[in-house]
Amino acid sequence: MLILPESHGDFRRLSGVQDHLKFEVLPQGSVFFDQGDTLKFFFFVRRGIAKVSRISGDGHQMITELLLPGDLCGALCALDRCPYPVSATAVTEVEIAKLETGAFHQLAEKFPELHRCSLEGCGTKVRQQRSMMTSIAMERIPHRLWKVFLVIAERMGEPTPAGLRIPFPFSRQEVAEMIGATNETVTRAFTQMKKAGELQETGSYVTMLGIKDLEELDALADS
Amino acid sequence: MLILPESHGDFRRLSGVQDHLKFEVLPQGSVFFDQGDTLKFFFFVRRGIAKVSRISGDGHQMITELLLPGDLCGALCALDRCPYPVSATAVTEVEIAKLETGAFHQLAEKFPELHRCSLEGCGTKVRQQRSMMTSIAMERIPHRLWKVFLVIAERMGEPTPAGLRIPFPFSRQEVAEMIGATNETVTRAFTQMKKAGELQETGSYVTMLGIKDLEELDALADS
DNA sequence: AGAAGCGTCTGATCCAGATCAGTTTCCTGG
DNA sequence: CCAGGAAACTGATCTGGATCAGACGCTTCT
């Protein structure tokens, strides 16, 4: 029985799809696909966290998207058969379900709903990317950090007595590449926020002290 | 007979759609829809240029997208019936073709291809937005400007003896809102580039001196 | 013609964050 | 247990672009 976590644009409601899925477990650090590859499948994340990044002409790297449980990745490129303009790497151990694009096209003929689902997933992606873009363009570092926390909390946040807790398996450098900053600046911002009692780091988790729910976090990230 | 300009994700190939389109001409400066509106139609741009912008919590404004002839706008929100998270404004006089969402759903049942088209248009949008995001995060002002020129040139560029010419009806402030800068900085950058003989402004057109084709511009914008 | 208003331009100053240069953990393997 | 290497931290300096302040056009209205 196929069980995918809740997400926009997932396909689990559609019978007939699960027979074509192939499950895989990828160790931390492994690369799903590289910038420039042309692949014949796309995939869902079932467990773990991955990053989607892009290297520009001058060698600088930026993380353009996080893949959390329930996310669909690669649909856009797989569908119009263009080479991937980005790379995807496992930040933690990641469990995925692959779907061949050939199978997708077959299925889409029987279930037009598939396109509708992809479109929804795509819409979410556009909105998230836009939010991050405006944040990078107009807000300073601490705000951008809250926005990253918010994206993860929306999907994986757990309320605790101390505050909202999220998995946060990223290096300082990775965070820097998400928000358009340097690892030094990120380090300083974390130190500052911890000293101010806003944040607590334990292992690969971050707890936002005093934040009880998403709404409060939302207000912080949006201001 | 319906004629829409060439674009990714346009619907003109599909017979049966044009009967449901309503044409309108909007004067410069008029607002298509406002942040927060819930609309029951989306539209194609047939002529002219519009901007899609977002105001953040702290009052700052950013242009997240340009609408050029052939572009489809509002499909994502219209389809999942959520309020528009952005506003759209005519930068020049704009001629549009509207399609009611109700009609879209009807048509989509007969022509599953419609969803496919929307998905393609969405993919282009994601890629463009990602490109601008990385540019704002990692590149300095002149590079970001070249990137804006490139986006317009890809669709509306015309080679002239002096160089590649594009329509450019934007104020300094609008340019600033596209690239995450201030109008003063944009002014200085333009002055600089004109003094360096890279650029020429005539009326609401910009000519990139010495640039013969898109490839050359691409190289400049990507470096 | 004059006034008022907006957009462009220019100069002076300031500052968030980049850059450079270490030092200090914290692993991991021998 | 120590050596070596990567990541995290910290401090000092530098700079691109923001911010502030004003001057100069160019329209539009009276």
Side-chain angles (χ1 to χ4, degrees):
Chain A
M1 178 54 196
L2 171 67
I3 299 180
L4 287 167
E6 177 72 37
S7 98
H8 295 286
D10 80 46
F11 294 173
R12 71 182 160 157
R13 281 164 288 161
L14 305 170
S15 61
V17 173
Q18 60 252 51
D19 303 333
H20 294 83
L21 294 174
K22 284 190 194 113
F23 298 106
E24 276 181 34
V25 174
L26 302 170
Q28 175 183 19
S30 62
V31 175
F32 295 26
F33 54 81
D34 247 328
Q35 202 164 323
D37 287 0
T38 308
L39 293 191
K40 17 178 211 333
F41 63 86
F42 52 88
F43 55 85
F44 303 94
V45 175
R46 301 188 73 214
R47 186 174 50 78
I49 296 180
K51 62 178 178 180
V52 174
S53 57
R54 179 171 172 75
I55 299 181
S56 73
D58 59 356
H60 279 194
Q61 182 156 18
M62 166 151 208
I63 293 175
T64 58
E65 195 185 340
L66 293 181
L67 298 177
L68 306 178
D71 275 334
L72 171 62
C73 176
L76 286 175
C77 289
L79 290 184
D80 54 11
R81 296 178 179 79
C82 68
Y84 281 62
V86 290
S87 311
T89 312
V91 176
T92 64
E93 184 180 273
V94 172
E95 193 182 327
I96 62 173
K98 273 178 165 180
L99 179 63
E100 305 278 330
T101 53
F104 177 88
H105 289 303
Q106 279 181 357
L107 285 167
E109 278 177 34
K110 275 196 293 184
F111 307 104
E113 192 65 8
L114 271 183
H115 280 131
R116 177 69 172 275
C117 282
S118 312
L119 210 50
E120 273 173 33
C122 187
T124 306
K125 193 172 294 193
V126 169
R127 276 187 284 269
Q128 244 177 39
Q129 213 175 64
R130 177 169 48 217
S131 167
M132 207 61 224
M133 176 168 75
T134 56
S135 187
I136 290 174
M138 315 193 302
E139 287 164 0
R140 32 222 44 224
I141 300 295
H143 272 8
R144 300 188 212 169
L145 275 179
W146 286 117
K147 198 141 274 178
V148 171
F149 294 155
L150 178 63
V151 169
I152 299 171
E154 274 174 351
R155 302 276 295 279
M156 309 178 76
E158 277 179 29
T160 72
L164 204 55
R165 199 180 78 129
I166 57 172
F168 204 78
F170 308 103
S171 71
R172 297 290 187 251
Q173 181 60 37
E174 282 170 328
V175 179
E177 285 165 14
M178 289 178 215
I179 66 173
T182 61
N183 53 9
E184 293 98 326
T185 301
V186 171
T187 293
R188 279 186 250 265
F190 265 82
T191 312
Q192 182 96 24
M193 288 163 103
K194 282 196 274 192
K195 208 180 294 174
E198 299 166 353
L199 220 65
Q200 192 182 317
E201 258 184 315
T202 48
S204 58
Y205 286 83
V206 159
T207 307
M208 289 161 276
L209 300 172
I211 309 277
K212 289 186 300 295
D213 51 32
L214 275 179
E215 252 175 69
E216 262 184 67
L217 181 55
D218 206 26
L220 253 176
D222 205 37
S223 65
Chain B
M1 175 57 192
L2 170 66
I3 298 180
L4 286 168
E6 176 73 36
S7 96
H8 294 285
D10 81 50
F11 294 174
R12 71 182 160 155
R13 281 164 288 162
L14 304 170
S15 61
V17 173
Q18 60 252 53
D19 304 333
H20 294 82
L21 294 174
K22 283 188 195 115
F23 298 106
E24 276 182 32
V25 174
L26 302 171
Q28 175 182 19
S30 62
V31 175
F32 295 24
F33 54 82
D34 246 328
Q35 202 164 323
D37 287 0
T38 309
L39 293 191
K40 9 171 221 335
F41 63 86
F42 51 88
F43 55 85
F44 302 95
V45 176
R46 301 187 75 213
R47 186 173 50 79
I49 296 181
K51 63 178 178 180
V52 174
S53 57
R54 180 171 170 74
I55 299 181
S56 73
D58 59 355
H60 279 193
Q61 181 155 18
M62 166 153 208
I63 294 176
T64 58
E65 195 186 340
L66 293 181
L67 298 177
L68 306 179
D71 275 333
L72 171 63
C73 177
L76 286 175
C77 288
L79 291 184
D80 55 10
R81 296 178 179 80
C82 68
Y84 282 62
V86 290
S87 310
T89 312
V91 175
T92 65
E93 184 179 272
V94 172
E95 194 182 328
I96 62 173
K98 272 179 165 181
L99 180 63
E100 303 279 330
T101 54
F104 178 87
H105 289 304
Q106 280 181 356
L107 285 167
E109 278 177 34
K110 276 196 292 185
F111 306 104
E113 192 67 7
L114 271 183
H115 280 131
R116 177 69 173 273
C117 283
S118 313
L119 210 50
E120 273 174 33
C122 186
T124 306
K125 192 171 294 191
V126 169
R127 276 187 284 270
Q128 243 177 41
Q129 211 174 66
R130 178 168 49 217
S131 168
M132 206 61 224
M133 176 170 73
T134 56
S135 187
I136 290 173
M138 315 193 303
E139 286 164 1
R140 28 220 54 218
I141 300 296
H143 272 8
R144 300 188 212 169
L145 276 179
W146 285 117
K147 197 142 275 177
V148 171
F149 294 155
L150 178 63
V151 168
I152 299 170
E154 275 174 349
R155 302 275 296 280
M156 309 179 76
E158 277 180 29
T160 72
L164 204 55
R165 198 180 79 128
I166 57 172
F168 203 78
F170 308 102
S171 71
R172 298 288 187 251
Q173 182 60 36
E174 282 170 328
V175 179
E177 284 165 15
M178 290 180 214
I179 65 173
T182 60
N183 54 9
E184 294 97 326
T185 301
V186 171
T187 293
R188 279 186 251 266
F190 265 83
T191 312
Q192 183 97 23
M193 288 163 101
K194 282 196 274 193
K195 206 180 295 174
E198 299 165 353
L199 220 67
Q200 192 182 316
E201 258 184 315
T202 47
S204 59
Y205 286 84
V206 159
T207 307
M208 289 161 274
L209 301 173
I211 308 277
K212 289 186 300 295
D213 51 32
L214 275 179
E215 254 176 68
E216 262 182 68
L217 181 55
D218 206 27
L220 253 176
D222 205 38
S223 65

